[in-house]
Amino acid sequence: MTVKRDSATTGAGAVPTGPAIVVDGLTKRFGERTAFTDVSFEVAYGEVFGFLGPNGAGKTTTVRTLGTLLAPTSGTATVAGLPLTGANGVEIRRRIAVMPEAPGLYLRLSVAENLDFFAGLYELDDRRARIERALRAVNLLDRADDPCRSLSKGLRQRVGLARALLSDPEILFLDEPTSGLDPLAARDVHELIDGMRRRGVTIFLTTHRLAEAEALCDRVGIMNTTLRTIGRPDELREQLFAKTLQVTTREPVADPGAVFAGLPGVEGWHPASSGDGYVLAVTDPDLAAPAVARALVAADADLLALSPSRHSLEDVYLQLIEEDVEARTR
Amino acid sequence: MNAKNGLSWIRVRALVRKEINDYRRNRFIAVTMAILPVVFMVSPMITLFKLPADAPASKLDASVGLSALYLMLVPAFVPAVVASYSVVGEREQGTLEPVLTTPIRAGEFLIGKALAALLPAVVISYTMYGVFLGVVGGFAHENVVHDIFEAPRILAQLLFTPLIAGWSIWAGIAISTRTGDVRVAQQLSTLASLPPLAITTLVGFDVIKPTVTVAVGLGLGLLVIDILAWRVVSALFRRERLLTGAKAA
Ligand SMILES: Nc1ncnc2c1ncn2[C@@H]1O[C@H](COP(=O)(O)OP(=O)(O)OP(=O)(O)O)[C@@H](O)[C@H]1O
Ligand SMILES: [Mg+2]
């Protein structure tokens, strides 16, 4: 189901077995308002799981629920191998780390003082070494003694990340770690996440940035109060969109119907809306593309480009969320 | 390191240390801690020094009673201000959420917050009382000194200080958990810290003759109230409630 990675470097020391997170029919309501309902999914150890959805979709509430901050209204979940119950709260929190939407630093305290406090809350032994390691990981060692008040938003975000790394968590929840960051700062955070993923940390990442999810995540779930879909980014693209080949030729082909008809893997065609080529509906681009190329050459057409259509995760996302909006207005 | 359901003193200590570091640099709290004690120490001193040597006993008693009340306002108000900030202050800064995602238990959070308010309050109050005794003992009239240095009076002051502070702390934390605004929390907590002063006032103004038995008896009474308040606040202290300030759904 998922990408296997070396999980020997995760926090617990021993190689954890079974999925890192199992969510089954989880629902959270605040009085009349439903934050999310009937959500089910699994995340494997070592996986980077992206949780996408529009504002108010219930992403943060899901993170808070799995992080034992909020009790679910119904449904069950297992986090880091432990059933999500009040009695397991302390032990679950020992194994995970959460970086909330807002980094939540004590602005009057220095970076090191902030981290030292959290190292104490995790009852960590070699605090000084761990703080140093975490700060080095986010490239902030030289700012250790600066008060957090004096840090820019991007730097504060990095302190938040360092804090989340302190305890070597098995699972790291990151709630929109790049929101409000400029592209450069966001790229720094992406590199950090990528570094953690290479070390085998399980990451649960909520985000609005689809390119971010596409680049970083092994699998994504698209959420809109309920889980709309889940899968690898390329799987989702395939599920949602018909497969096509874009054909570009120098001159219009004399009789495109005759050229494309009966080719293996080609189901139909129509002229491209841009006017300089054709769009072919295909069952399998890998099978169809060589046949199409040969047929065009045989028909004496100058083939300029032949490419399978690229739908981004953004297309998938917009398609799903727009379906929801339409369903609601109907 | 700690019993399965017990408290982790490592976490409590980490919280206390963070709190004290933090409000040393919080101008409002630092100023409260610096100014209040001076005001409430200097005004009774002035009253006592202004007493003529031949002041009637009733006048003397009233002034000594007033000074006891003033001195008790510090252990009442200082921790009330600190405790009222404890939860709502963190909520406003957005620091509560990251703290609650660590293994800390609600009970540890509560004890840590309470100790962080209690320790400075007791240190400040005792220091202030020591200075007060020193100055009055050195410079006031003999009959004033005699009255101020009565053993039961001193015992009462020493005993009541942490106990009065205890009440203010539980009231302050309870209010802080429920309000969304630091200022409102501070005003309500200051008000809520007043009732137990009634007890100490009875002794201060000799309504109840201050004897060792009375001081210890009233001290025990305050202790029971503090413990009850702690139990009530603990029972009301839910993680979800802390985070949102609202009733759990
Ligand atoms: N403490 C709360 N009390 C009442 N309603 C809440 C509470 N927290 C969240 N909600 C509601 O639950 C829904 C989901 O909110 P949530 O913050 O989880 O969304 P989100 O997907 O994280 O949105 P965003 O992308 O804006 O961060 C919203 O309708 C929100 O108003
Ligand atoms: Mg959110």
Side-chain angles (χ1 to χ4, degrees), chain A residues 30 33-35 53-62 64 101 175-176 208, chain B residues 244:
Chain A
F30 296 101
R33 175 175 292 136
T34 303
N55 293 123
K59 303 182 296 294
T60 297
T61 309
T62 305
R64 287 179 169 170
E101 242 167 327
D175 196 355
E176 295 188 33
H208 293 292
Chain B
T244 60

Side-chain angles (χ1 to χ4, degrees), chain A residues 90 93 121, chain B residues 11 15 99-100 102-106 108-109 239:
Chain A
V90 173
R93 293 198 298 279
L121 294 182
Chain B
R11 287 198 281 263
L15 181 55
V99 170
L100 293 178
T102 71
I104 197 166
R105 292 185 174 84
E108 291 158 352
F109 186 83
R239 296 167 52 79

